[in-house]
Amino acid sequence: MNLLVVGSVAYDTVETPEGANKQQLGGSATYFSLASSYFTQVGVVAVVGNDFARSDLGLLGKHGIDTTGLETTSGKTFRWAGRYSEDLNTAVTLETHLNVFEHFKPALTPAHKRAPYLFLANISPDLQHAVLDQMAPRPALVACDSMNLWIEIARPRLLELVAKVDVLMINEAEAKQLSGERSLVGAAKQLRKLGLKALVVKRGEYGAVVFHRDFTFAAPAYPLARVVDPTGAGDSFAGGFMGYLAAVGDTGPEAMRRAAVAGSVMASFTVERFGVERLEGLNLEEINSRFSAFVELTRFHPLGGGQGLPLIARPV
Ligand code: AMP
């Protein structure tokens, strides 16, 4: 097991300017594991109710995802309902029902405990701690996500968690909300003081920025003519990011830059259709050809001789 994720497995009801869809398979761990499954062997730690469809379990299995940590218990699967703004950049939560997650106590298998890469996807900070505390030895890289709900109702526990992880991946509004800063650079400085190696800020259609201790790197979002459903974009980004790092077994600066592009590649597929419809069953050529499109999107040659811009020197 190379990469482990704990997070939600859910049925989502979403409304976007492109339409509405009820009870679609979703959840932070679902998007994350599907996106990362194209890169490496990933295991999911989560719980579902006895209403969870066999076909959905089959879908995870088809992607080679290890579901031995996906417990089924009596009760209902986690449910989330949300509505997106006209510009698709913000989601308003209409309903959250933790259901079976309320009493979930994850018990990791020996193979899960030894995973070298760990992603604590969006779920209650108590659960994120419960998984991290069982890992032995400590993974090479631990990253986590969260959201406004947990910042509001479990802030101290979340800050305690941030102090224990290497990378925090959250969206722009959450980074500002958690740090109390108005700018992203300020937020990164504040949050890194807690011990983070890097803050990765997801900015929807504006891409993502890695504020690493040693460098800052910005990856654009793929310019799409039509975004159907942004649900899961953040988790798919994280799946591409962590999946890539776990696949190459490297957490150095160059790998992190490439990981941010791999994350943007995976997120760009997710938003093209409702739910996981586009993310499932991708072929490797289409993933690689989108990666090449990112290379082209960000390619430029430094000016002749690498001397910088042709500026006119004037006395001031
Ligand atoms: P994102 O990648 O940020 O768009 O995440 C969307 C996913 O997060 C949806 O599929 C939801 O099921 C899930 N989600 C929403 N609220 C929560 C929550 N409070 N805890 C865990 N997962 C959630």
Side-chain angles (χ1 to χ4, degrees):
M1 176 71 42
N2 207 16
L3 172 62
L4 189 69
V5 58
V6 59
S8 55
V9 173
Y11 286 125
D12 295 337
T13 295
V14 300
E15 290 171 39
T16 84
E18 292 285 336
N21 205 23
K22 284 190 180 152
Q23 309 269 339
Q24 65 187 24
L25 175 65
S28 54
T30 305
Y31 285 104
F32 179 90
S33 58
L34 284 171
S36 59
S37 71
Y38 292 97
F39 296 86
T40 195
Q41 225 236 316
V42 54
V44 178
V45 175
V47 61
V48 291
N50 40 19
D51 58 349
F52 195 66
R54 265 171 177 273
S55 54
D56 291 333
L57 194 61
L59 172 70
L60 301 178
K62 234 173 46 195
H63 283 78
I65 296 165
D66 174 342
T67 54
T68 53
L70 183 62
E71 202 178 297
T72 303
T73 179
S74 68
K76 282 179 99 177
T77 297
F78 179 99
R79 292 228 178 1
W80 176 78
R83 182 185 296 137
Y84 289 86
S85 57
E86 267 308 301
D87 68 3
L88 293 150
N89 281 323
T90 40
V92 176
T93 292
L94 302 174
E95 284 175 46
T96 302
H97 302 283
L98 291 179
N99 297 336
V100 289
F101 268 102
E102 255 176 86
H103 304 291
F104 179 47
K105 299 249 177 310
L108 269 54
T109 65
H112 289 165
K113 288 181 187 175
R114 289 193 301 268
Y117 290 80
L118 174 66
F119 188 64
L120 308 166
N122 179 27
I123 195 66
S124 83
D126 279 339
L127 254 174
Q128 294 174 309
H129 275 283
V131 169
L132 179 56
D133 291 349
Q134 292 179 55
M135 300 299 288
R138 192 206 189 263
L141 191 84
V142 181
C144 78
D145 188 2
S146 195
M147 73 181 294
N148 53 0
L149 173 73
W150 309 115
I151 299 174
E152 280 152 29
I153 69 171
R155 188 187 186 86
R157 219 35 198 139
L158 178 59
L159 288 172
E160 228 179 279
L161 182 80
V162 172
K164 288 198 209 164
V165 307
D166 304 299
V167 178
L168 173 64
M169 284 191 214
I170 47 179
N171 72 32
E172 181 165 352
E174 292 155 359
K176 291 177 179 170
Q177 188 186 0
L178 185 61
S179 63
E181 292 285 322
R182 237 174 275 123
S183 78
L184 280 183
V185 174
K189 263 195 190 150
Q190 279 305 325
L191 294 170
R192 277 202 316 257
K193 276 189 198 157
L194 298 173
L196 287 177
K197 232 188 234 165
L199 170 73
V200 179
V201 180
K202 298 170 285 183
R203 305 181 63 227
E205 66 173 315
Y206 307 110
V209 186
V210 180
F211 292 99
H212 191 276
R213 274 203 297 246
D214 306 324
F215 64 91
T216 299
F217 176 73
Y222 186 69
L224 289 166
R226 191 163 163 242
V227 169
V228 172
D229 174 15
T231 312
D235 305 305
S236 306
F237 173 90
F241 186 96
M242 291 295 285
Y244 174 79
L245 292 180
V248 296
D250 182 0
T251 58
E254 288 312 315
M256 278 225 187
R257 288 166 191 255
R258 251 177 258 123
V261 176
S264 293
V265 165
M266 300 317 290
S268 75
F269 287 118
T270 295
V271 303
E272 286 184 323
R273 303 255 199 292
F274 278 103
V276 299
E277 202 185 317
R278 184 76 174 102
L279 196 54
E280 62 176 276
L282 285 169
N283 70 55
L284 304 190
E285 279 103 87
E286 57 188 334
I287 300 176
N288 260 327
S289 97
R290 193 153 293 182
F291 180 69
S292 302
F294 270 88
V295 174
E296 189 53 27
L297 188 63
T298 51
R299 178 179 62 82
F300 79 101
H301 287 292
L303 295 169
Q307 289 148 357
L309 297 169
L311 306 173
I312 298 173
R314 290 188 212 283
V316 270

